[in-house]
Amino acid sequence: MAKKTAKFSADSFGTADNRTQAPFYFGKENYRWMFIGLGLTILGFLLMMGADANTVDGKFDPNSWNEDIFSFRRIRLAPFLVVAGFAVQVYAILKRSR
């Protein structure tokens, strides 16, 4: 008795029956975390902005020094928010969707 073997042809490959759709790696929750991280990063950079070291009342004055560049907001809070935003981005990328 001869073994019955399945015959394959080039016509059967590439049809809709043989292809499977690969799902997206990122789910809805991943994108939500990405936007939260992006928002934290943007908020941190916006909090770092402000009057320059040599501006007084919005005008450049090379003879004056604005101590506002050493405020808690610019030195501690804003960089923390930027780093936290990047950490949330890493979490969003590495988080597995279910």
Side-chain angles (χ1 to χ4, degrees), residues 9 13 17-18 20 25 36-37 39 41 44 47 49 56 68-70 72 76 86 90 95 97-98:
S9 69
F13 291 103
D17 298 339
N18 293 339
T20 59
Y25 181 75
I36 290 171
T41 304
L47 288 176
M49 289 183 356
V56 177
D68 193 37
I69 64 167
F70 299 115
F72 173 80
R76 300 246 161 60
F86 288 141
V90 169
K95 183 179 181 332
S97 57
R98 293 183 180 198

Side-chain angles (χ1 to χ4, degrees), residues 38-53 55 66-86:
L38 182 66
L40 284 174
T41 304
I42 290 173
L43 180 64
F45 280 116
L46 287 175
L47 288 176
M48 273 192 247
M49 289 183 356
D52 203 1
T55 57
N66 187 357
E67 289 292 327
D68 193 37
I69 64 167
F70 299 115
S71 67
F72 173 80
R73 174 181 59 107
R74 288 186 179 174
I75 298 297
R76 300 246 161 60
L77 181 63
F80 175 76
L81 287 176
V82 171
V83 171
F86 288 141

Side-chain angles (χ1 to χ4, degrees), residues 25-36 88 91-93 95-98:
Y25 181 75
F26 292 141
K28 186 177 181 180
E29 193 171 347
N30 294 88
Y31 285 112
R32 184 177 299 134
W33 281 109
M34 281 183 157
F35 285 125
I36 290 171
V88 169
Y91 173 75
I93 291 170
K95 183 179 181 332
R96 287 186 181 224
S97 57
R98 293 183 180 198

Side-chain angles (χ1 to χ4, degrees), residues 53-56 59-66:
N54 294 333
T55 57
V56 177
K59 295 184 180 184
F60 180 73
D61 183 10
N63 297 322
S64 66
W65 181 257
N66 187 357

